[in-house]
Amino acid sequence: MVAPHFVYETFPGRVVFGAGQLAAIAEEIDRLGVRRVLLVADRGAPGADRVQEHLAGRLVLRWEEVAQHVPVELAERVRGAASDSGADCVLSLGGGSATGLAKALALSHNIPVAAIPTTYAGSEMTPVYGLTGGAHKQTGRDPRVRPLLVIYDPELTTGLPAGVTGPSAFNALAHCVAALGAPNANPISSALALEAVRAIRQSLPTALTDPRDLSARGGLQYGTFLAGMVLTSTGTGLHHKICHALGGMLDLVHADTHSIVLPYVVAFNTPALPTESSRLADSLGDPTGEPAKLLWALAQRSGMFTDLAQLGMRPEHQRAVAEQLAGTENPVPVTADAIEKLLDRARTGQLP
Ligand code: NAD
């Protein structure tokens, strides 16, 4: 049964999937009706020379310096270079850092963004941008920064290390799980979330054991693409708030906390979300299983972190984090005591 009233906001855009599709970049850029491309290509990502070759005379500038969280002074420098070059489009090649810099340029110059992502961060599917000045990160939403063209070519991701692949896949899974219980969940976001979970669950173990498997890499791109759309329409939940608190207060590597925390958050919320939980179990490959245990088993099978003690968390840290999270909006009311218990189980890696 479809809910009688809901709003689903979507964006115009063209998304191309497939091994070798990087070669279609010139044709795809021509479809956008632009002629002068500024390429933001992260030096650490593969494929820039080939993109440059395909773009030929359409390329006016290749910019290689990118940095996490888009420092304002870096954005200002690329903006100056863009004005000098007369670019009428910015194309990013790389992960969330390259996409983020391209978005900063779209904001100031009002030019379309195209993206060839080489990680699974998902920024290419969101209208969210971030800029960092000193210790302050300013984020915002603006439809102009969302790429009008995205090319997902799995050949570009075969060299992505397991330490980036696994955590970003679990980050995407966490977005999907949060979407199922979000206050603004709707039939479209839930269908996309469940399909994303299915694709990621099927692809992740192989992508980690056989990184050159293009079908597994393509499956992860498809799953994280869907997760980016889901994130755009529903936002984040308790899981991400816990991971941010752990990252901020205890200086744990934020990305590594996802595979540990997610199963416990799912176990915590399962009693309030019976229908969503059985659909989630189905997407995780076992319709009669418990989704928390299935996620825990997936993290184990994928060789990822499964307890917070491995990351350096100690029992005396738990209360302060728990108190910070009390009152968070969530399907099950969040008290400091409940989060302290959740963190204790996550720290010791007990079966959720
Ligand atoms: P990243 O772009 O910084 O890349 C991580 C590292 O991987 C870099 O050293 C990079 O050179 C390297 N790399 C990239 N592609 C590679 C490949 N195919 N093979 C080998 N190495 C490769 O990191 P990220 O995780 O992709 O993105 C993180 C940034 O994105 C953060 O700043 C985050 O805030 C932002 N982000 C924004 C959104 C949004 O919607 N605005 C969404 C997700 C992430």
Side-chain angles (χ1 to χ4, degrees), residues 149-174:
L149 163 69
V150 182
I151 297 183
Y152 287 103
D153 185 337
E155 287 178 357
L156 295 170
T157 60
T158 55
L160 200 61
V164 180
T165 301
S168 50
F170 260 82
N171 180 27
L173 284 173

Side-chain angles (χ1 to χ4, degrees), residues 34-223:
V34 296
R35 313 170 79 85
R36 299 176 62 77
V37 178
L38 190 157
L39 171 65
V40 173
D42 179 353
R43 272 190 210 101
D49 290 345
R50 279 189 292 142
V51 170
Q52 179 166 344
E53 226 170 85
H54 287 298
L55 288 176
R58 300 165 187 82
L59 184 73
V60 293
L61 181 69
R62 173 166 158 182
W63 181 277
E64 294 193 327
E65 184 188 352
V66 307
Q68 287 256 342
H69 310 300
V70 194
V72 172
E73 64 77 31
L74 174 61
E76 287 309 320
R77 278 193 282 126
V78 78
R79 285 166 171 167
S83 297
D84 294 344
S85 68
D88 64 359
C89 171
V90 55
L91 168 65
S92 67
L93 175 78
S97 299
T99 314
L101 190 58
K103 285 177 168 184
L105 190 48
L107 265 184
S108 57
H109 282 58
N110 211 4
I111 55 177
V113 184
I116 307 180
T118 64
T119 71
Y120 306 114
S123 174
E124 66 284 354
M125 292 314 299
T126 81
V128 178
Y129 62 88
L131 281 164
T132 310
H136 178 71
K137 182 163 180 176
Q138 176 215 338
T139 58
R141 277 172 87 104
D142 190 312
R144 288 174 301 164
V145 307
R146 194 175 128 148
L148 295 184
L149 163 69
V150 182
I151 297 183
Y152 287 103
D153 185 337
E155 287 178 357
L156 295 170
T157 60
T158 55
L160 200 61
V164 180
T165 301
S168 50
F170 260 82
N171 180 27
L173 284 173
H175 287 312
C176 297
V177 166
L180 294 174
N184 56 352
N186 61 70
I188 299 173
S189 61
S190 296
L192 297 181
L194 291 165
E195 171 69 354
V197 170
R198 189 195 59 74
I200 295 170
R201 183 261 304 171
Q202 287 178 340
S203 312
L204 179 61
T206 308
L208 292 174
T209 52
D210 184 4
R212 306 202 70 79
D213 185 312
L214 288 176
S215 147
R217 290 294 191 175
L220 276 187
Q221 284 184 319
Y222 172 57

